[in-house]
Amino acid sequence: MPSVVVMTEIREFRIAIPQADLDDLADRLDRTRWAAQLPGGRARGVEVAWLREWAAYWRDGFDWRAQEARLNAFPQFMTEIDGLDVHFLHVRSQDPDATALLLVHGWPNSFVEFVAVVEHLRHFHLVIPSIPGFAFSEAPRERFTVADAGRMFATLMDRLGYGRYGVQGGDLGAYLAPEVAKAAPEHVVGVYVNGGLGFPTEDDDLTDDERQTLSWMAQWSSGSVDHHSLLRVAPQTFAHAWNDSPVGLLAWMLQKFREFAVTVELPEQAIDRDLLLVNAALYWFTGTSGSSSWFMYDNERFAWPIGQDLVPTGVYSGPPGIRRLAERHNRVVHWPEDNPGGHFVAMEEPVVFAKDLSTFLGGLR
């Protein structure tokens, strides 16, 4: 029988968006067919006036080439794992004996989630992959699970020669990071998540105080778009619009980032506006608004991440998660109560995030 060839080559990669794509984006922004503003303002979604401001800045104020150069300042690579090309940043510490750290982004984010925090984590060897179906990583061609992604990233760390490393994840990353530990518990020092562990559900036996937390969570979710249901049922339907209209894609991104930036009125009050647009632009240029939803459309219903009990777990900020619920499935050793920030803390609070993550991993050495 013919032998199976396993590709293990690591190739250098640089972002180089063709000028024709930039010209096409500008033309589409110029030709936007604007919707009328509905009564009710924010209660109806992203307001026309606010979206117009963002679109105008994207068209005439945002400098993609400068941001492209900023991203290309980080060493980037591509390698094939399980038949898919995987893109990643690999930023080595000046200390050859430094601990390696795998940073896993969320949705609707990208590796851009960690751009602002890299300089504060230089004491680690950083590996920052694009999840398959996001940005420059190839999209899965068949059913793909968070366990598949976890095994893929464990393979990546092994290929890079790291025998021991920490793993961080938030949002979608909070599902993937524990899967890396499950795939390679003998290599993972610890798993650190932004949040998402120990969230109460109606199925849990809760105290009165814990039921208040559940009530708050239900109140918050009732005012947000249920993207899990939307993308579980019809990701292809919405991808047609997001792939054709940059303003449509931008509106979707602003909707979700405004919902996730829970500490401020507008996401740009917590996250650098250029970083938000770099993220949206990456989805636009790579056409990944549909393929990035793979982890939703193969699920029957939404469920909070459970975690793992094979290696120690740290959490950036416990509430609204409940520690006793998280400890049913995790060996929690780090659970601060009052770290600042909203959902994407590496973008909102890079200094505090880096310090807390370093404290967690430092305690495991």
Side-chain angles (χ1 to χ4, degrees):
M1 294 182 63
S3 60
V4 177
V5 178
V6 179
M7 302 295 292
T8 60
E9 178 189 12
I10 296 175
R11 295 127 37 208
E12 291 187 357
F13 178 84
R14 284 181 64 81
I15 303 170
I17 301 301
Q19 185 58 43
D21 289 359
L22 295 176
D23 295 340
D24 175 69
L25 171 60
D27 179 61
R28 288 171 185 265
L29 289 170
D30 285 338
R31 293 187 296 107
T32 300
R33 186 180 181 215
W34 292 98
Q37 177 61 56
L38 301 177
R42 175 174 176 168
R44 299 290 181 263
V46 172
E47 307 92 324
V48 176
W50 185 45
L51 184 58
R52 277 183 174 272
E53 290 176 8
W54 273 87
Y57 180 71
W58 197 2
R59 173 64 176 84
D60 297 318
F62 177 73
D63 186 344
W64 168 258
R65 290 301 184 203
Q67 297 300 324
E68 187 178 68
R70 180 186 184 186
L71 297 179
N72 280 331
F74 301 115
Q76 296 177 65
F77 303 89
M78 195 79 76
T79 192
E80 182 183 314
I81 304 175
D82 297 336
L84 298 177
D85 271 343
V86 177
H87 163 259
F88 63 98
L89 277 59
H90 190 192
V91 185
R92 294 182 183 272
S93 170
Q94 291 185 348
D95 177 5
D97 297 323
T99 300
L101 175 58
L102 175 69
L103 302 174
V104 187
H105 67 78
W107 176 98
N109 223 319
S110 63
F111 69 93
V112 171
E113 182 175 338
F114 303 109
V115 166
V117 82
V118 167
E119 65 179 295
H120 306 294
L121 292 172
R122 290 286 188 176
H123 47 294
F124 295 104
H125 296 307
L126 301 176
V127 180
I128 308 173
S130 294
I131 297 170
F134 290 73
F136 302 106
S137 283
E138 197 172 357
R141 292 181 287 273
E142 54 190 23
R143 191 175 190 276
F144 193 76
T145 68
V146 291
D148 293 327
R151 288 189 293 270
M152 176 178 284
F153 289 159
T155 298
L156 174 62
M157 297 302 283
D158 179 68
R159 189 169 297 178
L160 293 173
Y162 293 123
R164 293 287 283 167
Y165 53 89
V167 186
Q168 175 276 339
D171 190 84
L172 173 56
Y175 294 82
L176 297 188
E179 294 298 332
V180 179
K182 292 177 185 178
E186 70 278 15
H187 297 299
V188 175
V189 177
V191 171
Y192 179 91
V193 298
N194 298 359
L197 295 180
F199 280 7
T201 71
E202 289 288 356
D203 297 330
D204 292 315
D205 184 17
L206 303 175
T207 67
D208 289 342
D209 288 344
E210 291 167 351
R211 288 217 163 269
Q212 288 184 352
T213 298
L214 180 62
S215 176
W216 176 87
M217 289 169 55
Q219 216 170 22
W220 174 80
S221 62
S222 68
S224 63
V225 175
D226 184 355
H227 53 275
H228 283 270
S229 293
L230 185 152
L231 294 174
R232 181 171 63 248
V233 175
Q236 187 70 71
T237 299
F238 295 96
H240 292 305
W242 295 324
N243 207 57
D244 185 64
S245 169
V247 165
L249 175 64
L250 179 61
W252 176 235
M253 291 287 183
L254 290 177
Q255 172 76 35
K256 296 314 302 180
F257 273 90
R258 182 159 67 179
E259 291 171 0
F260 288 145
V262 295
T263 63
V264 292
E265 182 70 17
L266 300 174
E268 61 265 36
Q269 294 169 340
I271 303 172
D272 178 72
R273 180 167 59 166
D274 278 351
L275 273 187
L276 287 167
L277 273 178
V278 171
N279 186 63
L282 280 176
Y283 276 79
W284 174 258
F285 290 133
T286 60
T288 50
S289 57
S291 62
S292 61
S293 63
W294 58 260
F295 65 100
M296 299 184 206
Y297 57 70
D298 277 330
N299 289 319
E300 294 182 2
R301 65 183 181 91
F302 169 76
W304 294 108
I306 293 176
Q308 52 75 45
D309 63 357
L310 299 173
V311 305
T313 291
V315 177
Y316 173 80
S317 183
I322 297 168
R323 183 163 184 166
R324 77 168 185 88
L325 299 181
E327 288 179 336
R328 292 178 300 186
H329 306 287
N330 299 271
R331 287 161 44 199
V332 178
V333 300
H334 183 82
W335 185 277
E337 296 281 335
D338 56 357
N339 277 336
H343 193 68
F344 291 115
V345 292
M347 301 175 90
E348 298 179 32
E349 300 285 350
V351 175
V352 180
F353 170 79
K355 182 179 180 181
D356 194 71
L357 173 53
S358 299
T359 297
F360 165 67
L361 288 176
L364 301 179
R365 292 177 184 174

